[in-house]
Amino acid sequence: MKESPNLIFHVLFLLLLISPSVFSWKKDEFRNCNQTPFCKRARSRKPGACNLIATEVSISDDGDLIAKLITKIPENNGSQDPPVEVDSQPLLLTISVYQDGILRLKIDEDQSLNPPKKRFEEKIDNDLGFSSVVYLDGDYEGVLRHDPFEVFVRERGNGKRVLSINSNGLFDFEQLREKKEGDDWEERFRSHTDTRPYGPQSISFDVSFFGADIVSGIPEHATSLALKPTSGPGVEDGFSEPYRLFNLDVFEYLHESPFGLYGSIPFMFSHGKARGSSGFFWLNAAEMQIDVFGTGWNAGQDKIMMPVDEKRIDTLWMSEAGVVDAFFFVGPGPKDVVRQYTSVTGRPAMPQLFATAYHQCRWNYRDEEDVFGVDSKFDEHDIPYDVLWLDIEHTDGKRYFTWDKVLFPNPEEMQNKLAAKGRHMVTIVDPHIKRDDNYYIHKEASDNGYYVKDASNRDFDGWCWPGSSSYVDVVNPDIRSWWADKFSYGNYVGSTPYLYIWNDMNEPSVFNGPEVTMPRDALHFGGTEHRELHNAYGYYFHMATSNGLVKRENGKDRPFVLSRAFFPGTQRYGAVWTGDNTAEWDHLRVSVPMLLTLGLTGISFSGADVGGFFGNPEPDLLVRWYQLGAYYPFFRAHAHQDTKRREPWLFGERNTQLIREAIHTRYMFLPYFYTLFREANVTGTPVIRPLWMEFPADEETFSNDEAFMVGNGLLVQGVYTERAKHVSVYLPGDQSWYDLRNGATYKGGKRHKFEALEDSVPAFQRAGTIIPRKDRFRRSSTQMDKDPYTLVIALNSSKEAEGELYIDDGKSFNFENGAYIHRHFKFSNGKLTSSNAAPSGAGGNKFSTDCTVERIILLGLSPAPKSAFIEPSNQKVGIEMGPLTIRPGKNPSFATIRKPNVRIADNWTIKIL
Amino acid sequence: MNKKKKIGGLRRLFEISIVIIIGCICAITRSAAAAAAKDDQFLLLLGVSPQDEDYYKGLLSSPSSTIKCKDGSFKFSTSQLNDDFCDCPDASDEPGTSACPNGKFYCKNAGHIPFSLYSSRVNDGICDCCDGSDEYDGKVKCPNTCWEAGKVARERLKMKIATYQQGVTVRNRLVEQAKLAIAKEEAELSKLKNEEKILKGLVEQLQERKEQIEKAEEKERLQKEKEDKERKETEEANLKEKQNGEQVESSEADALKNDIHDKIGEQVESSEADALKNDMHDKIGLLGDSSSSQDVMEGHGDSESEAQHGEFDVKEESSIGDVKPLQEDSLLHATEKEEQLTVDGQPGLDTGNQAEVEEDNSESLSKEELGRLVASRWTGEKTEPQTQEVSSAKDKNHGTEEEDAYGEEYSGYDSEEDEHRYDNNDDGDNEDQMDDFGGEDHDDSSPSYKSESDDEPDLPAEPSWLEKIQKSVRRIFQAVTFFQTPVDKSEAARVRKEYDESSAKLSKLQSRISSLTHKLKHDFGREKEFYSFYGQCFENKQNKYVYKICPFKQASQVEGHSTTRLGSWEKFEDSYKVMQFLNGDKCWNGPDRSMKASILLVKLRCGLNNEVTDVDEPSRCEYLALLSTPAVCVEEKLKELQDKLDMMNKEQPTSHDEL
């Protein structure tokens, strides 16, 4: 604030005006595959190069299949070639099979042969689904072929393959060895040198997905949902690099590129019309590069023995270090794969209700006055919001857990003032700690040796917001526990129970490090090199912070922590967002595939900065972003400090009205969203879904990533162009769809052209669903607690529909002990029935609510009946014509059961007379 | 909505009403039934504003009567009024509940100001109306705080009214003064224009005369050359004779000339002084510096010492010790180069060699420099303390920081800036004349050139200085013999001098005319109430920054010796409630690389003194200031406030029963 603009920079950047902003991504600052030796080596290998064979196959005591992989010595067939020198040790292979169609493959060095170092193995601290271990499961079987070594899963009856590894013989395992005289293991990139004391240790292999029309997953990349090929024929411009998984703080990322962003999940999802879905997950936290091969990439490679008639997608997985710890998920439905994957990595945490509402953020709300000003403006304009965020400038010199004494002299009072209106606040806490001896966090961390060390075993010293900084070694559970304690109200002075946390820069971002991150030879707990766990650092930080919030309320309050970096399992600790996007239409567009991909890979609670972080959105773009963002699982507006103010009321009355409407839409659907968050919490099924997750057999949907499903009942299509006149929307399935704006019906299985109205993006309720809403406007979700429900019944062609509603206290963990309400609504034969969907006798802990249903809207019922009869209260209520949503002006009206006033928690039926 | 609870809530309201009714109406001994009937109405009309009572009248007669929603979309009956279910999309059936999303709830707030709330506030557990009427479902108890809060509000309002009362008087005086002053200046302007015309004529005559003399001299010179040799013998004698004659003539001419000089000099220059001051103000202002030339001078010395501090600081701050400004340069170039490389997309080709050199530069950055450089992408801030040091060091050579900022990048800018500054001086006057002003005594008897604030009447009765000049010029022409060859040298000199001086006066006169014209062209407000702002600056200090707002000119932010121009005067906005300054210094507008100019909006509030009360920067490079001034204490607003106070005083809580 109030920085006098520095003209040197002005002039300098004037010069740079010639460079269009799309080129501002510092490509040269990041390594490409050719500059990454392990990637270059792996990518240059030819199919069939692997000459490992499986021997000594046996079944272990646990029921695992174990084997040794040894190098096959070619028979001397009389050629002049000298015999191949075999200097490698046998590798240990283990195949375990878990319930629900999960096969796990581990390959590591044999510890009994004393390799120079124990390779880092990322742990799964999740006991879900690990109870029974069976070798064969259901309709599938895992097969280990010995020579050449290959592992695959196939359908038991017909032998059709689902997934396989090393079918193309690209498996390679660089075993650790002692450094010999003359070995130069150092790697240099720009001005940085990686000492690489253990030398090459990479692993690579090919994975094939059978019956796949598309592959998806492996976030985070700003690209399409169906992954484009990066190798072989049909590679598009800009996609010749493999998809990179290496958590990086990328300044001004491009909207269409395979380079790696803030988080990494090495989990690929495949889907095809023929068989359905399957998934492959490699638990490995080192840098990974993944090629998706275009069809025909290996033409002429006759060495491969693969069924040729099957449609499949081949991929190449390359990692710098670690072990092979891979999971095969057989599906066959898309939701099955997510369930299987999240049974391994954990289900998404149940968020607090407030966190699913609207968040207002900016770098930075400057001071308390600013905070109160923004807060009261929301009230003045009758726009609800739940959370106000404070970015780095609220701290005393970027020392987290502190407050700028001038700007925020009374933080507790401030939070309490907002809390009186049911609102919450979030402050930022990053992993870089200012190296200042007077800063208690630094003092404790350095005294206790809690920092990540550099290659020479001194505290790593890097540059970030506070200047010279060190990074907490959250890989160590003890240090995580220490970190968690920092969030107690006693330690975090100025925090209140209404304050939650935001973890930024946890890739980790190191401004003067190689590729703006930590050197790979930095050392963590137990002597593990940073290279081995880089992608998991942010995850551990997120975990520690989240645990801190649980601790501060003795396990009674669900934490809310937003993280930028992520890794498999992040879903258990909180939400993520897509980082520093830009106020451009392309970034609005790419937000949808990015969030859908996150959902597929377990991270359901995700969002993109509404409005775009960098730059100033035109009002049209901002409004469209709000209209789409209202359906993001995580709905937050955020902006860079150099951008113009863009709170919802700053763009004229009409735009204020449009944005208010968009935000109200989110609040209206909160009961539905909350129910979906619970579904994700139980099954892993994401809140927003690719169309093909709900319509797996509809090929039209496979490449569609501009529309998405919210749950199984809503389809939302963004508007991605300026002043769009028309929007084309594909409505899948054989049932019809009801336009949320006016209740008009449209046929499924068809593409429709709609006028692009300015008041909302196209959104439709699917026939056959019942969606619960709360239509009353309030200041925040907190005040909606006691408000009555509206049920919208969208009848299908057989005049039936069903839906669910989940309610709990929105805050505590009591729901884990059964303190919740789960209703199932079914409409058939002219009768709506509400029944309990919760397992009977679930815990002694009960949750109750006096909320009633004030309105039931029936779509697709004509002619409209006159009344309805409620049981068991034996009351007759009137049916009138009412609008789909209450908005000023004349709107089409639909049969509406007026004031049935049945309690939402009760069993009842309402019969249409 | 739970039915039971609602009934409970309504009962509470009912009880409140009963208490009030009993308290106030018992004396009139109305029947209990009548009271109950009244209470029903009260419930029905919950949240209805007095203006709307008529609209609902039709529903009060019988429970089965119906009216149309205000927007005409539907009909609703008495039983649907405030029944907690939204029937009208425009909320007209639910003025007292939260059932309709677009409704308004009217709280009477007796003792304070009545207020219409959004229906979203009704029974949401938060007390919004000071009379507590928005929370009636029994979930929270809202005490009636209207009288207390109203008292505070009334006090505040009274104070505001008092301010306005005085402010209006001050404003009226301002308006009076402005009218007089403007009339005076307009008169002066027309007078000056007249004088300009005459003086122009004189100057032309003198010029003509001068040219004749020059011609004659030329002719004489040629003749002289020709006759030189022939007249060598008699030359000396002739010369002596001539000199005697000249002496007489020249002493006469000198007296005349002195007279002219004095008058013109004093009067024109004294007016010039003002014009020049204004001019200087403009020009120096444009340079983004403070208003007097002295400040500019001081800037040199101080920034020099700051430069030294800067150097010292750097050494302390920088972990790598001795980074030199030169390296900073190369750092900047490196960034620039990198950018270009990215644009090219093919760093390896033509530009390869050069690129590598630059690349090396960037790679040879210390870790700290690299950290700062990368951080700066997000913040847009200078990467290094060194940058500042470079600036400060350059201050030695230049006046203001802006200049070296430009100079930093293009050495060419240095000279341009310097030229610019000389130009400014030339435009106004030369430095000698500037110095003269200080010592000169102003002639009070020539009021047409007096400063703007002078209240004395216009135009002198006695012959003006111009007439004197005219006279003396006429005398010159009479005294001087025309076309006399050989040319009388002292005569020629006198004419020349007279010409030079007169044309100098003319140009001063013209400059005064232009500055007056310029001034009078400004929009001083509907009643010229902002006239007194002209030439004034208002300051406000916030932490380390001093904000300087000079209406009709410019506004700046000063931090130590560095000055940032926040904007140049643009215009009044929002019917003279906001002053707009645009096109200030360019701001580094974040990663989209666009440079935008700072702007400042000054909101005007009624106050007794001209005072900047607050300056803020809501968005980067967009400043917002509050200026209190009597100039906006308008009478209508005063009346409005008084009406409001009257109403607040009228609305005593005891009148509650009269619903």
Side-chain angles (χ1 to χ4, degrees), chain A residues 1-21 23-29 189-192 249-252 362-363 366 369 378-382 406 420-422 463-465 509 511-513 516 564 580 613-616 640-645 660 775-779 783 786-788 850 852 854-855 880-883 886-891 893 896-899 901 903, chain B residues 1-3 5 71-74 80 83-90 98-99 101-102 118-124 126 128 139 332 335-336 338-343 345 347 359 362-364 367-368 370-372 374-383 387 390-391 402 405-406 408-410 542 545 547 557 559 562 564 585-596 598 614-623:
Chain A
M1 148 188 194
K2 291 173 185 168
E3 292 294 337
S4 54
N6 188 304
L7 279 161
I8 298 177
F9 266 83
H10 295 171
V11 174
L12 181 64
F13 282 106
L14 254 182
L15 286 176
L16 299 178
L17 276 173
I18 39 165
S19 66
S21 69
F23 288 114
S24 47
W25 173 49
K26 307 275 181 299
K27 188 181 176 186
D28 297 342
E29 217 158 79
F189 178 66
R190 291 166 70 89
S191 61
H192 305 278
D249 183 1
V250 181
F251 179 72
E252 295 188 335
R362 176 179 178 81
W363 176 22
R366 296 182 313 271
E369 199 189 330
F378 271 99
D379 287 344
E380 197 179 297
H381 294 276
D382 205 21
V406 176
K421 288 194 261 183
W463 197 269
C464 209
W465 297 130
S509 178
F511 289 154
N512 58 354
V516 199
R564 192 168 69 182
D580 298 349
F613 177 69
F614 291 122
N616 295 309
H640 188 277
Q641 62 173 351
D642 288 343
T643 60
K644 278 174 174 301
R645 282 295 184 123
R660 179 197 295 122
D775 287 8
R776 299 194 177 196
F777 287 7
R778 295 298 188 185
R779 261 177 277 229
Q783 291 91 35
K786 302 283 190 287
D787 281 344
D850 290 331
T852 59
E854 67 169 341
R855 180 189 292 107
E880 294 180 352
M881 297 303 282
I886 302 161
R887 296 289 179 268
K890 260 225 183 301
N891 292 302
S893 49
T896 302
I897 304 177
R898 193 179 186 279
K899 291 173 83 172
N901 286 356
R903 281 163 51 89
Chain B
M1 172 69 52
N2 178 325
K3 221 172 181 178
K5 286 215 170 166
D71 65 3
S73 55
F74 291 93
Q80 284 170 301
D83 74 336
D84 205 26
F85 184 86
C86 189
D87 294 290
C88 296
D90 69 352
S98 61
N102 311 300
Y118 291 114
S119 58
S120 60
R121 315 292 199 259
V122 177
N123 286 332
D124 70 344
I126 299 165
D128 290 288
K139 284 186 206 109
L332 293 172
T335 335
E336 174 196 325
E338 264 180 61
E339 287 284 342
Q340 284 170 349
L341 278 178
T342 326
V343 177
E359 196 78 338
S362 131
E363 289 192 8
S364 68
K367 290 269 171 179
E368 178 178 332
L370 183 60
R372 286 183 193 276
V374 174
S376 74
R377 290 181 192 148
W378 279 272
T379 60
E381 281 163 21
K382 38 198 152 196
T383 54
T387 309
V390 173
S391 314
E402 284 100 304
Y406 286 115
E408 173 74 15
E409 202 44 44
Y410 306 110
Q542 300 229 332
Y545 299 103
Y547 293 91
Q557 177 197 55
E559 182 195 2
S562 111
T564 305
D585 281 338
K586 290 278 194 279
C587 256
W588 189 84
N589 185 28
D592 62 4
R593 305 277 179 276
S594 69
M595 304 274 296
K596 69 169 185 182
S598 302
D614 191 30
V615 187
D616 202 357
E617 189 186 2
S619 292
R620 176 68 68 100
C621 306
E622 288 183 18
Y623 295 83

Side-chain angles (χ1 to χ4, degrees), chain B residues 90-339:
Chain B
D90 69 352
S92 32
D93 66 315
E94 297 294 320
T97 75
S98 61
C100 290
N102 311 300
K104 284 282 178 76
F105 179 95
Y106 179 85
C107 13
K108 199 164 175 9
N109 286 350
H112 198 354
I113 307 160
F115 192 69
S116 276
L117 292 175
Y118 291 114
S119 58
S120 60
R121 315 292 199 259
V122 177
N123 286 332
D124 70 344
I126 299 165
C127 306
D128 290 288
C129 305
C130 62
D131 63 7
S133 59
D134 61 315
E135 295 299 317
Y136 57 81
D137 67 355
K139 284 186 206 109
V140 286
K141 270 201 159 33
C142 296
N144 187 329
T145 57
C146 288
W147 191 242
E148 284 307 303
K151 217 157 90 185
V152 176
R154 276 190 301 276
E155 285 314 307
R156 212 176 291 147
L157 190 56
K158 276 181 197 159
M159 275 167 66
K160 200 171 174 186
I161 288 172
T163 306
Y164 260 87
Q165 279 165 337
Q166 288 185 57
V168 166
T169 319
V170 179
R171 184 178 184 276
N172 289 339
R173 204 165 59 226
L174 283 175
V175 169
E176 278 309 295
Q177 285 169 355
K179 275 180 188 151
L180 285 176
I182 288 171
K184 203 172 74 183
E185 279 173 345
E186 277 165 353
E188 180 195 337
L189 188 60
S190 73
K191 182 164 171 275
L192 283 176
K193 280 182 177 162
N194 250 333
E195 289 168 352
E196 183 202 15
K197 217 163 138 192
I198 298 167
L199 191 55
K200 227 179 186 169
L202 290 178
V203 169
E204 275 163 17
Q205 279 180 310
L206 283 167
Q207 189 175 9
E208 203 180 304
R209 177 75 181 132
K210 201 181 82 171
E211 280 163 7
Q212 285 171 345
I213 290 173
E214 274 159 9
K215 235 183 225 165
E217 279 174 340
E218 179 67 7
K219 198 172 157 194
E220 191 183 40
R221 192 181 57 83
L222 290 172
Q223 207 175 4
K224 210 174 170 185
E225 270 175 25
K226 196 178 149 197
E227 292 169 1
D228 210 19
K229 280 177 189 170
E230 302 169 9
R231 301 202 176 185
K232 251 182 185 174
E233 303 95 345
T234 50
E235 196 183 323
E236 273 186 328
N238 280 343
L239 206 62
K240 260 180 193 172
E241 259 179 42
K242 253 179 229 164
Q243 271 170 346
N244 286 338
E246 258 179 27
Q247 255 167 12
V248 180
E249 280 165 9
S250 86
S251 68
E252 204 178 53
D254 274 349
L256 234 173
K257 189 205 68 187
N258 281 340
D259 195 29
I260 294 166
H261 184 78
D262 283 347
K263 291 301 172 197
I264 295 182
E266 278 165 20
Q267 292 163 2
V268 174
E269 280 174 8
S270 82
S271 75
E272 246 354 305
D274 286 337
L276 189 70
K277 255 185 228 158
N278 286 331
D279 224 43
M280 286 276 299
H281 209 86
D282 277 337
K283 298 304 173 187
I284 294 174
L286 280 172
L287 277 177
D289 212 325
S290 41
S291 61
S292 86
S293 58
Q294 216 180 343
D295 278 8
V296 179
M297 314 287 198
E298 274 172 11
H300 287 280
D302 283 18
S303 53
E304 204 160 347
S305 66
E306 198 194 46
Q308 281 158 4
H309 282 304
E311 254 162 324
F312 187 66
D313 286 343
V314 169
K315 279 192 185 135
E316 268 195 337
E317 271 180 48
S318 163
S319 62
I320 39 111
D322 53 352
V323 182
K324 290 187 181 87
L326 254 179
Q327 263 176 306
E328 173 62 20
D329 258 340
S330 71
L331 163 66
L332 293 172
H333 285 303
T335 335
E336 174 196 325
K337 201 72 214 172
E338 264 180 61
E339 287 284 342

Side-chain angles (χ1 to χ4, degrees), chain A residues 650-770:
Chain A
L650 294 173
F651 301 89
E653 206 170 313
R654 179 62 183 148
N655 289 316
T656 306
Q657 197 184 336
L658 291 171
I659 294 171
R660 179 197 295 122
E661 190 87 340
I663 297 176
H664 272 149
T665 301
R666 171 53 165 250
Y667 278 82
M668 184 172 82
F669 281 121
L670 277 182
Y672 181 57
F673 270 95
Y674 198 64
T675 302
L676 294 173
F677 274 104
R678 173 58 172 174
E679 185 185 348
N681 175 244
V682 174
T683 67
T685 312
V687 171
I688 65 166
R689 308 162 185 176
L691 302 186
W692 50 261
M693 184 169 262
E694 291 298 331
F695 301 92
D698 189 338
E699 276 174 288
E700 271 285 302
T701 63
F702 292 178
S703 58
N704 186 333
D705 58 12
E706 46 180 67
F708 57 91
M709 294 297 295
V710 179
N712 69 350
L714 290 181
L715 182 146
V716 178
Q717 163 84 45
V719 174
Y720 307 114
T721 49
E722 203 171 350
R723 282 180 278 282
K725 290 256 184 315
H726 297 279
V727 204
S728 157
V729 186
Y730 178 74
L731 296 174
D734 47 13
Q735 290 288 339
S736 48
W737 296 80
Y738 296 87
D739 194 324
L740 286 193
R741 293 182 277 207
N742 51 26
T745 51
Y746 297 94
K747 264 203 158 66
K750 269 189 73 179
R751 187 162 276 282
H752 300 266
K753 193 175 173 189
F754 294 95
E755 198 185 329
L757 301 175
E758 71 169 353
D759 57 0
S760 68
V761 293
F764 305 85
Q765 184 173 346
R766 179 185 183 179
T769 60
I770 298 175

Side-chain angles (χ1 to χ4, degrees), chain A residues 448-477:
Chain A
N448 294 316
Y450 284 172
Y451 284 136
V452 179
K453 307 287 187 287
D454 63 18
S456 54
N457 222 17
R458 284 186 300 259
D459 284 351
F460 170 71
D461 182 348
W463 197 269
C464 209
W465 297 130
S468 173
S469 306
S470 287
Y471 292 71
V472 182
D473 188 10
V474 280
V475 176
N476 181 340

